[in-house]
Amino acid sequence: MRIVFIGPPGAGKGTQAERLAEKYRIAHLSTGDMLRAARDARTEVGCEADKYMSAGQLVPDAIIIRIIQARLEEPDCQRGYLLDGFPRTITQAEALDEMLAQRGTPLDVVLELDVPEDELFNRLAGRGRTDDTPEVIRQRLVAYREQTQPLLDYYGERGLLKTIDGLGTIEEIFERATAVLNDYA
Ligand code: ADP
């Protein structure tokens, strides 16, 4: 199973992604987690990425594409994976398509978690992560709207997009997600 999981910041995507990857026994590839780990380990890439992350901006495509390319080579990805937070731009989506075409391993489905923007702001403001100041939150929502939302058309045109309602309990949303993903398991 190869899944892309798309949703705005604050949608609860990380929580669902972790549970879904466990249920289907596939790797959970969270680019946000990878970048935070690199930042905390103070690697060169991590320090470079931090400049963008702390401002609520997307890290440059070239950096993130290189990270994902290396990650997909690892043995735990051979059974499949759930991409959480990648791709986030059309350039990243095109790079992913190219990587997967070379491997002959196309995506099965792109799952969108749909949550209205006013709900997101409240949730993010309540989360208390150090990068969650109001200005940074606003910037992250703008980045989502301008750079990531176009992917919904990109994958829609390719017949890959499935959207679920992201309002409800963790359990309810998990049920909706598995109702879609069971078709590809
Ligand atoms: P969020 O809390 O916005 O859902 P994540 O934990 O997925 O965010 O990512 C945190 C930050 O890491 C993003 O705001 C962005 O700066 C960076 N990031 C993560 N994934 C990507 C990506 N695919 N492309 C560019 N930047 C990324």
Side-chain angles (χ1 to χ4, degrees):
M1 268 176 117
R2 287 174 295 275
I3 306 165
V4 166
F5 198 21
I6 297 185
K13 192 161 48 74
T15 308
Q16 296 294 337
E18 204 166 302
R19 299 182 53 159
L20 291 166
E22 192 179 333
K23 175 176 169 76
Y24 296 108
R25 300 172 177 283
I26 54 179
H28 173 205
L29 309 187
S30 160
T31 44
D33 287 351
M34 291 176 206
L35 291 171
R36 279 185 288 276
R39 178 191 63 193
D40 295 347
R42 294 175 201 249
T43 66
E44 201 175 314
V45 163
C47 293
E48 177 64 16
D50 184 44
K51 295 188 215 158
Y52 299 90
M53 294 165 73
S54 55
Q57 290 168 358
L58 295 186
V59 169
D61 288 329
I63 294 183
I64 203 82
I65 289 167
R66 221 176 312 125
I67 292 175
I68 284 291
Q69 199 145 25
R71 187 65 185 83
L72 291 180
E73 301 288 342
E74 293 188 27
D76 65 323
C77 291
Q78 304 321 307
R79 262 192 55 83
Y81 42 81
L82 189 156
L83 284 164
D84 167 12
F86 179 92
R88 251 181 166 88
T89 65
I90 295 284
T91 302
Q92 293 177 19
E94 288 170 349
L96 178 64
D97 277 350
E98 203 170 307
M99 286 179 231
L100 299 186
Q102 271 171 15
R103 290 180 166 78
T105 57
L107 291 174
D108 291 301
V109 62
V110 175
L111 186 66
E112 179 205 2
L113 193 56
D114 182 32
V115 179
E117 197 164 312
D118 48 350
E119 169 77 13
L120 298 170
F121 192 89
N122 294 332
R123 289 195 202 173
L124 287 164
R127 194 161 70 170
R129 217 163 68 185
T130 52
D131 55 347
D132 283 346
T133 66
E135 189 39 46
V136 172
I137 291 171
R138 226 180 329 268
Q139 189 53 51
R140 287 222 299 274
L141 292 172
V142 169
Y144 182 75
R145 203 186 312 126
E146 292 181 353
Q147 295 175 271
T148 307
Q149 265 182 352
L151 293 181
L152 302 176
D153 283 338
Y154 181 92
Y155 287 121
E157 284 160 12
R158 286 160 178 73
L160 288 171
L161 186 68
K162 304 275 176 184
T163 299
I164 58 169
D165 182 358
L167 290 179
T169 65
I170 290 179
E171 213 41 64
E172 283 164 350
I173 297 163
F174 185 71
E175 290 291 318
R176 289 175 203 146
T178 54
V180 171
L181 298 180
N182 280 343
D183 286 348
Y184 306 93

